[in-house]
Amino acid sequence: MLGLPSIPAVCLRPRDLRRGAVLTMAFLAAVGAGVYTGCWDREEGATAAAALAGAPTAEGPRETGTADRDAVARAVAEAVAEGKSGKKAAQEVVSRSGDRWGTVYDQGEYAAFAEGLDGHWTGVGVWAGRAPDGMIKVDKVQPGSPAARAGLRAGDRLLSVDGHAVTGLAVTDVVALLRGDAGTPVVLNLSRDGADLTETVRREQLRTEPVTVRQRPDGVTVIKVVSFTRGAGDRVKAAVKAAPPGEGVVLDLRGNPGGLVTEAVTAASAFLDGGLVATYDVRGDQRVLYAAKGGDTTRPLVALVDGGTMSAAELVAGALQDRGRAVAVGSRTFGKGSVQMPTELPDGSVAELTVGTYRTPAGRSLDGGGITPDVPAGERVEERAVTVLGGLGVGP
């Protein structure tokens, strides 16, 4: 596997990419915890295999604001021949192309990506993103993690890692700085409310459960999906089957940055009896994603969404909304509806480049616009969802 352990083979080799499209549909970096990004996994079932069949073998027309993968590969080869950084050369080509979602990983960073898809990683337990001004901002801190014990909070700005300034860096580069062996220390310089802070934390092997389930006293089952990492779809299906007969379900997709597309389709299948989940194009060539048959189509359902609902999570919410299967409650979603495909470069690094967009069953492109909820709610969102379920004939 060319030094990239545990990465699904279909996500890795150029010859595989020519035989079958690899779909990436998320963009949120989990700094110190891997990068949440979604791709097809060969082991995820027949639906994915059918969707991947017949992918184009030529480059084909490119979307506006996307990088030419051949140009990226040439730049890397030339840089390596001159003794320069292939990754930096690739990043320059991607940046000039205007591909806002395009990114370049070295081998270690892509190995971290693979760990994230399995739901475990070595890090400090903070999720972060890059603000428009180039600052790295902490979006979330995992409870019980080294970062949480050190007092890090959402909203903190990360200034440096082990003395390396991170402002202006790509988030993947910040991930690389935060990575390391379990038990090793890392020094974080942060800014909070105008004051500078320095914390030394030790990296740990961390894990998160992608799906948690709880039953409210009123009988409503709340299924929270943190991300669509491996196994999340089956856990959603199991939770739906275990819910009390006739009672409603709240599918909480708030703050979900996406993940494996096949897991998202499996999750949507829990509430559908076959039919369309989404369409997507790869360099102008249309593809279709179908739900499996046999899902629960009668149980009242509300999907909770917000500005942190992204990509594969938006795919699920959009499918359930368009199919009339769920009422969406909350606030407008992020609006990340473009499709990325990874290409291995001559130096072993990997470039994920935008190749197209996906659409909901009703033909809506969510890229830039997101999903508008049927019932807007800014506060007490879960309570609002239960009220909506009451109007659907269940709950209090």
Side-chain angles (χ1 to χ4, degrees):
M1 300 297 285
L2 300 178
L4 305 181
S6 302
I7 299 177
V10 75
C11 298
L12 222 155
R13 300 188 180 107
R15 59 179 177 273
D16 288 327
L17 298 185
R18 296 188 188 104
R19 284 199 302 265
V22 178
L23 182 60
T24 300
M25 301 183 65
F27 186 85
L28 181 69
V31 175
V35 178
Y36 275 117
T37 176
C39 75
W40 291 114
D41 183 277
R42 251 184 213 154
E43 299 174 355
E44 292 298 326
T47 301
L52 295 177
T57 57
E59 175 70 18
R62 290 185 293 115
E63 299 285 324
T64 301
T66 67
D68 183 331
R69 63 181 177 183
D70 291 334
V72 174
R74 283 195 302 270
V76 171
E78 291 171 2
V80 171
E82 296 172 2
K84 300 177 181 179
S85 169
K87 178 185 174 184
K88 184 175 181 180
Q91 288 173 327
E92 290 174 353
V93 175
V94 173
S95 177
R96 289 196 303 268
S97 74
D99 187 344
R100 65 181 298 217
W101 300 117
T103 189
V104 182
Y105 303 93
D106 62 28
Q107 292 189 3
E109 292 162 355
Y110 210 63
F113 155 85
E115 281 191 311
L117 293 180
D118 283 326
H120 60 80
W121 58 86
T122 300
V124 299
V126 296
W127 279 259
R130 178 173 162 174
D133 61 1
M135 294 291 292
I136 302 298
K137 181 181 177 182
V138 175
D139 290 327
K140 183 173 67 172
V141 178
Q142 182 178 349
S145 67
R149 294 194 297 271
L152 272 67
R153 307 173 190 170
D156 287 348
R157 290 179 176 261
L158 185 61
L159 304 178
S160 68
V161 178
D162 281 338
H164 299 278
V166 298
T167 301
L169 292 184
V171 177
T172 52
D173 291 331
V174 181
V175 171
L177 291 173
L178 285 163
R179 285 278 164 176
D181 295 331
T184 58
V186 58
V187 180
L188 308 178
N189 181 237
L190 309 121
S191 174
R192 179 187 300 159
D193 299 327
D196 288 351
L197 305 170
T198 300
E199 298 289 348
T200 299
V201 297
R202 289 189 177 274
R203 301 174 177 95
E204 291 182 3
Q205 187 73 27
L206 300 171
R207 186 172 184 86
T208 186
E209 290 297 328
V211 179
T212 57
V213 183
R214 59 185 172 87
Q215 187 172 337
R216 292 170 51 98
D218 52 28
V220 172
T221 298
V222 179
I223 304 173
K224 171 68 175 177
V225 186
V226 176
S227 61
F228 287 106
T229 51
R230 197 164 286 112
D234 284 338
R235 294 186 188 191
V236 171
K237 294 181 87 169
V240 174
K241 290 181 180 179
E247 297 291 347
V249 166
V250 173
L251 180 65
D252 191 348
L253 299 173
R254 292 175 296 174
N256 184 322
L260 287 162
V261 177
T262 46
E263 295 295 340
V265 173
T266 298
S269 299
F271 306 100
L272 300 169
D273 185 21
L276 189 62
V277 173
T279 61
Y280 66 98
D281 61 84
V282 176
R283 301 186 182 94
D285 193 51
Q286 286 289 315
R287 298 284 185 270
V288 183
L289 300 173
Y290 291 109
K293 290 185 175 295
D296 187 330
T297 61
T298 60
R299 187 186 299 276
L301 175 65
V302 167
L304 300 185
V305 296
D306 66 5
T309 305
M310 298 176 62
S311 195
E314 290 177 288
L315 181 150
V316 174
L320 296 177
Q321 186 184 52
D322 278 7
R323 297 279 301 272
R325 185 60 191 89
V327 177
V329 175
S331 53
R332 185 185 295 272
T333 63
F334 185 87
K336 199 280 182 180
S338 59
V339 177
Q340 282 70 48
M341 289 176 62
T343 297
E344 190 181 356
L345 301 174
D347 66 343
S349 59
V350 178
E352 284 196 341
L353 308 176
T354 299
V355 295
T357 57
Y358 76 90
R359 295 179 180 275
T360 67
R364 292 183 293 163
S365 172
L366 304 179
D367 204 39
I371 294 171
T372 300
D374 301 300
V375 180
E379 297 181 354
R380 300 178 62 83
V381 179
E382 186 175 308
E383 286 71 16
R384 189 68 180 274
V386 173
T387 300
V388 171
L389 285 173
L392 297 174
V394 299

